[in-house]
Amino acid sequence: MPDIMMNGAAGRDHVGELCLSGKGVTKVYGMGARRTVAVDHVDFEFRKGEVISIVGESGSGKTTLVKMLLALTSVTEGDIYFMGGKRDITTRQKKHDYWRGIQAIFQDPFSSYNIFHKIDAVLLDCINMRGGKGFSKEKKTEMMSEACKFVNLEFKELTNKYPFELSGGQMQRLMIARIFLLQPRILLADEPTSMIDACSRATILDMLLNLRAEIGMTIIFVTHDIGLAYYVSDTVYIMERGRFVEFGGADDVILRPSAEYTRRLIQDVPKIHEPWDFTKRSPRAVLT
Amino acid sequence: MRNTLRQVSRSANFMIGFVTVMLILLMVGIYPLFNPGSPLDMIGLGTFFKPGTYISMYDAVETATAYTLRIDDAAAKRVAAKLPMADRESMKRWLIAYGIAEDAIHTDDLNDLLNLWNNTYDESARPAGLTSAFRKSVARIDAALEGLLEPLDVRVYTTSPETGETRETARIKDNQFINVSEVVNTRRLWLGTDNFGRDAFKELLAATGVSLKIGLIAGVIATALGLMLGLLSGFVGGIVDDIIMFFANLFTVIPGFVLLILISYSIGQEQRGATVVAAVIGCTSWVWTTRSVRAQTLSLRNRDHVNLSRLSGHTLPRILVTDILPYIASYVVMALILQICSGILAEAQLSMLGLGPKTTETPTLGLMMFWGMTYAAHQNGAWWAYFPVILMIALVSFSMNLMNTGLDQVFNPQLRS
Ligand SMILES: Nc1ncnc2c1ncn2[C@@H]1O[C@H](COP(=O)(O)OP(=O)(O)OP(=O)(O)O)[C@@H](O)[C@H]1O
Ligand SMILES: [Mg+2]
């Protein structure tokens, strides 16, 4: 098993080692009149075993940061450090190794699948990536069944099906099964529940947190919903127009916000049960 | 996939276009079996023979059995054929000048006209108001009428090569017939012959086949080039994109057809086979496929399934082939059909300018037009030498566009979703 703390509760104390950090990370799209600074010199330190939330409005640059962290897009300026050293993704092999350690779940489950491929292909890819290419067919099936069972899906019912035969919630659960098979050290979840109906949303979140408890990994959770961030995370980064305006422990940031932007975000949280009372629930409850 | 095929097969537009193209191909393939020989054989000694069935005159006399049939209007028809309307009008004019009332002359009723004529005509008469030239031409008509109403037998004489003696071998009466199916040598020339005396219908089918082949080669080359460059340009981006787009812009600024003319001209007549021309057309028309494939790839590149595929460690070629290509496949098929169609048209245009494939080896639709134009087929009234060619080009490009419209209707809602 990886050298990651198996217990989420430890994260809150900021005792974990650094697993992913950045200095002056910047992304500029386009040039001339169309120049957009999507991410503007951000510094961050993500620690092992934590659940970190990145909260910001639409267009604040969250997805762009995630793409840079995933090495899916180039970094215009600044450095990213991974597991203690400077991230090296200069060759294909090194990139491949990097992606073994860091994986993602995206916002829209419907566009996360290649509609021409059967579902099995997605899971088989994961087994292959973890060096299971030579495994017997039975062993592979067993691994896939186990992964499906973890997200409350029946592999027998899914095998040989195409993505469009699944519901959005099922698709997103299968994405979690994918992570279960890959066992990365860091998971970047870019608004994984925003396209899902409210019922499935809680299930998906719980499964993510269960998975973290199961295989032990750092979760970087991107959302525009600060209430959700408070519900799941140890540390919160608040992003406004490409910059981190505030960060710290979830309680500190949300209960005692210092930035004006954070206060506005908190006010925007839809309040169904007035008054919104942050002290009533405990994020730890979901982990047990 | 199967679902899409079913939808495509239900599209009336697509099916009409598809069936038409298939029928044309079938004709192109099958006709030579019934009518073997090179389509470029110059069978007619002369230019622009009319469409119809040609029966060997020699065989009709020498080998076919003669049957006697009594057919009442046979004589009348024969007279009518020998006495065209213009001649009848001349006769009428003479009669009027001679003093016959106009309403007593019936040019439609041949018997009546001939009776009147035989009773009235006098070669020595000089009716007022008629030139002597006209009177001479009327006299000629009168001479031709001799024996028209009581026909003489046609006698056939043969000279023996040994004795040099000439004797009558056949005597053909006016009521003798032959059965066309018993004539050994007949030739159906559906569209007559062209200026070289080639069977125009056979040539048309062969030319259609060659033109389709040229279109196919040009289309495949253009689409393959466009697809590869577009995928690379769109997906890899950066300097690769810049270089490819530079050339694409270059090709846009210089009109493709001008380039085509220049290249064809510099290759020279001798080297220009059908395949070479097709390749040249293909290499000058990849630009718009590249552009649109690039645009589609750009929009697909940022889709999450592509990102996930990269995160799963797939290589660039694999991502292009499995994650991008299937999404634009329907579009590429449509582009291919259009490219085939425009390849055929480009060949026709080139050939009209005399820059098409080498003329002595292959028939193409463009070359048929070229020769028809050069020999002034339209001024000679030889519609069969050029009109069917225009029709064939129109038919092919119309049915291909119809196929495309059908495909568009099927695929577009899917692309939009
Ligand atoms: N490929 C791109 N090319 C140019 N500009 C881009 C590109 N992707 C994003 N941007 C710009 O960068 C900025 C940040 O976009 P980003 O997608 O990171 O926001 P986000 O925080 O994820 O928003 P959302 O909550 O809506 O997902 C936006 O202004 C966007 O217009
Ligand atoms: Mg986003």
Side-chain angles (χ1 to χ4, degrees):
Chain A
M1 269 328 252
D3 54 335
I4 295 175
M5 274 168 251
M6 300 293 291
N7 186 334
R12 174 147 291 212
D13 307 317
H14 290 234
V15 294
E17 292 172 56
L18 281 183
C19 62
L20 192 64
S21 56
K23 273 224 152 31
V25 176
T26 302
K27 178 73 187 180
V28 180
Y29 284 118
M31 49 174 78
R34 300 185 46 194
R35 188 181 136 99
T36 317
V37 183
V39 175
D40 189 5
H41 294 94
V42 296
D43 304 331
F44 50 86
E45 293 183 333
F46 301 149
R47 287 173 193 281
K48 287 180 187 169
E50 283 192 353
V51 176
I52 302 119
S53 281
I54 300 177
V55 188
E57 285 178 323
S58 183
S60 54
K62 307 182 296 290
T63 300
T64 307
L65 180 62
V66 165
K67 292 231 172 102
M68 284 193 288
L69 293 179
L70 285 171
L72 289 176
T73 188
S74 62
V75 178
T76 311
E77 205 187 311
D79 298 313
I80 292 174
Y81 301 87
F82 177 64
M83 293 298 162
K86 200 167 163 196
R87 180 176 81 168
D88 186 359
I89 47 165
T90 43
T91 65
R92 245 193 63 72
Q93 186 54 46
K94 282 175 182 163
K95 246 185 188 173
H96 200 270
D97 290 341
Y98 180 65
W99 283 330
R100 277 200 194 174
I102 187 162
Q103 277 292 334
I105 295 178
F106 293 112
Q107 181 168 9
D108 181 2
F110 294 93
S111 76
S112 293
Y113 290 86
N114 183 331
I115 57 170
F116 298 94
H117 287 183
K118 289 183 181 157
I119 286 158
D120 313 43
V122 179
L123 297 178
L124 276 176
D125 270 350
C126 303
I127 297 178
N128 291 344
M129 194 170 179
R130 294 260 310 174
K133 218 167 196 146
F135 289 179
S136 69
K137 210 168 165 202
E138 290 73 37
K139 168 122 192 180
K140 283 181 182 172
T141 311
E142 195 195 310
M143 289 172 81
M144 290 192 281
S145 305
E146 193 194 350
C148 287
K149 197 180 278 160
F150 181 80
V151 291
N152 265 333
L153 291 172
E154 196 58 57
F155 179 67
K156 275 194 228 87
E157 288 167 16
L158 296 177
T159 184
N160 273 328
K161 277 196 175 169
Y162 285 96
F164 60 82
E165 295 173 273
L166 267 60
S167 74
Q170 284 176 322
M171 285 183 183
Q172 206 63 316
R173 263 149 55 195
L174 204 68
M175 277 293 138
I176 298 177
R178 179 177 174 275
I179 303 301
F180 179 87
L181 282 173
L182 284 170
Q183 308 219 336
R185 294 170 158 199
I186 302 171
L187 172 66
L188 282 153
D190 187 358
E191 309 203 38
T193 59
S194 68
M195 308 278 274
I196 309 279
D197 65 279
C199 290
S200 313
R201 190 169 298 168
T203 324
I204 300 272
L205 278 177
D206 285 353
M207 279 176 180
L208 271 179
L209 295 171
N210 282 342
L211 178 59
R212 167 181 173 244
E214 179 90 7
I215 62 176
M217 63 182 176
T218 312
I219 295 184
I220 300 166
F221 186 75
V222 174
T223 179
H224 55 262
D225 181 345
I226 200 162
L228 208 60
Y230 184 66
Y231 176 71
V232 298
S233 49
D234 305 299
T235 307
V236 175
Y237 282 75
I238 308 286
M239 195 167 201
E240 181 191 12
R241 278 192 257 146
R243 288 174 165 276
F244 285 143
V245 288
E246 186 170 1
F247 69 94
D251 291 326
D252 290 339
V253 172
I254 291 165
L255 300 182
R256 292 174 290 280
S258 61
E260 177 56 33
Y261 182 70
T262 317
R263 260 178 240 130
R264 228 181 61 223
L265 282 178
I266 292 170
Q267 266 166 20
D268 287 346
V269 172
K271 302 178 185 90
I272 302 166
H273 306 290
E274 291 278 356
W276 180 265
D277 186 355
F278 286 118
T279 55
K280 262 196 178 154
R281 44 142 296 282
S282 153
R284 298 298 134 243
V286 288
L287 288 177
T288 53
Chain B
M1 190 67 201
R2 199 176 305 148
N3 196 30
T4 321
L5 281 182
R6 197 179 313 136
Q7 266 181 303
V8 168
S9 68
R10 282 215 197 106
S11 155
N13 279 339
F14 178 84
M15 282 321 277
I16 292 173
F18 184 71
V19 168
T20 314
V21 171
M22 283 302 132
L23 283 180
I24 293 173
L25 278 179
L26 203 69
M27 291 247 283
V28 168
I30 284 182
Y31 189 74
L33 301 182
F34 294 108
N35 191 347
S38 161
L40 296 183
D41 283 344
M42 303 184 190
I43 56 170
L45 299 185
T47 58
F48 299 135
F49 292 173
K50 282 193 180 122
T53 307
Y54 286 73
I55 298 173
S56 159
M57 223 163 169
Y58 188 87
D59 289 338
V61 176
E62 284 293 307
T63 59
T65 323
Y67 302 96
T68 305
L69 294 180
R70 253 205 320 272
I71 293 175
D72 291 338
D73 60 348
K77 273 191 181 166
R78 199 174 295 129
V79 174
K82 277 212 169 172
L83 203 58
M85 215 30 154
D87 287 359
R88 288 180 228 173
E89 289 297 334
S90 303
M91 285 158 75
K92 184 178 175 182
R93 204 173 135 204
W94 189 92
L95 287 171
I96 291 173
Y98 192 73
I100 307 284
E102 187 170 352
D103 40 338
I105 308 166
H106 308 290
T107 47
D108 309 330
D109 189 345
L110 264 175
N111 270 331
D112 190 59
L113 180 72
L114 284 178
N115 276 332
L116 181 66
W117 181 261
N118 287 340
N119 293 337
T120 327
Y121 184 68
D122 175 8
E123 201 179 338
S124 54
R126 284 163 194 264
L130 296 182
T131 60
S132 75
F134 183 76
R135 266 188 281 110
K136 267 187 200 141
S137 77
V138 171
R140 234 177 285 129
I141 294 171
D142 183 62
L145 290 180
E146 199 92 24
L148 204 56
L149 289 179
E150 56 272 3
L152 304 169
D153 294 347
V154 173
R155 288 150 196 263
V156 178
Y157 293 88
T158 320
T159 306
S160 159
E162 286 129 39
T163 59
E165 172 199 358
T166 298
R167 60 187 182 88
E168 184 185 310
T169 49
R171 178 184 277 211
I172 303 166
K173 291 196 168 45
D174 70 325
N175 57 0
Q176 280 184 332
F177 285 76
I178 54 161
N179 185 335
V180 173
S181 65
E182 287 175 8
V183 180
V184 197
N185 288 302
T186 64
R187 189 64 172 267
R188 175 126 231 168
L189 297 178
W190 297 94
L191 292 176
T193 67
D194 70 357
N195 55 291
F196 295 116
R198 296 167 178 160
D199 178 345
F201 185 70
K202 198 169 165 187
E203 195 186 358
L204 177 70
L205 286 183
T208 308
V210 176
S211 281
L212 281 171
K213 195 182 92 183
I214 290 177
L216 193 69
I217 294 175
V220 166
I221 290 178
T223 310
L225 270 179
L227 184 62
M228 252 162 21
L229 295 175
L231 280 176
L232 274 181
S233 181
F235 196 85
V236 179
I239 183 125
V240 178
D241 186 28
D242 291 342
I243 294 174
I244 293 174
M245 278 301 108
F246 172 77
F247 282 103
N249 287 332
L250 208 66
F251 270 69
T252 315
V253 177
I254 310 168
F257 196 63
V258 173
L259 206 65
L260 200 54
I261 290 175
L262 291 178
I263 296 178
S264 297
Y265 186 76
S266 61
I267 287 176
Q269 165 87 35
E270 278 313 302
Q271 270 72 47
R272 274 201 317 262
T275 320
V276 174
V277 170
V280 171
I281 293 173
C283 292
T284 53
S285 50
W286 51 271
V287 179
W288 66 262
T289 309
T290 304
R291 278 183 192 286
S292 35
V293 167
R294 174 177 178 267
Q296 304 220 0
T297 309
L298 275 178
S299 74
L300 278 169
R301 178 170 78 163
N302 287 322
R303 268 183 63 115
D304 289 340
H305 82 269
V306 176
N307 284 331
L308 274 180
S309 193
R310 291 174 67 188
L311 287 179
S312 301
H314 294 162
T315 56
L316 175 70
R318 178 165 170 186
I319 292 175
L320 287 183
V321 171
T322 66
D323 294 318
I324 306 269
L325 202 53
Y327 283 79
I328 59 173
S330 59
Y331 179 81
V332 172
V333 170
M334 286 167 55
L336 175 65
I337 293 177
L338 279 189
Q339 292 277 25
I340 291 176
C341 187
S342 61
I344 292 172
L345 292 179
E347 184 276 329
Q349 287 171 312
L350 268 187
S351 295
M352 293 280 279
L353 295 176
L355 292 170
K358 210 152 85 179
T359 48
T360 49
E361 282 172 4
T362 31
T364 71
L365 292 175
L367 285 174
M368 285 186 78
M369 294 281 286
F370 174 74
W371 287 118
M373 206 171 63
T374 311
Y375 279 76
H378 51 293
Q379 279 151 20
N380 292 321
W383 56 266
W384 56 88
Y386 62 93
F387 193 68
V389 185
I390 298 176
L391 216 61
M392 183 59 90
I393 293 178
L395 192 66
V396 169
S397 82
F398 178 70
S399 25
M400 289 196 163
N401 278 292
L402 214 55
M403 276 165 79
N404 244 17
T405 315
L407 286 179
D408 209 16
Q409 281 162 352
V410 172
F411 289 135
N412 257 351
Q414 207 170 332
L415 289 179
R416 266 184 244 123
S417 70

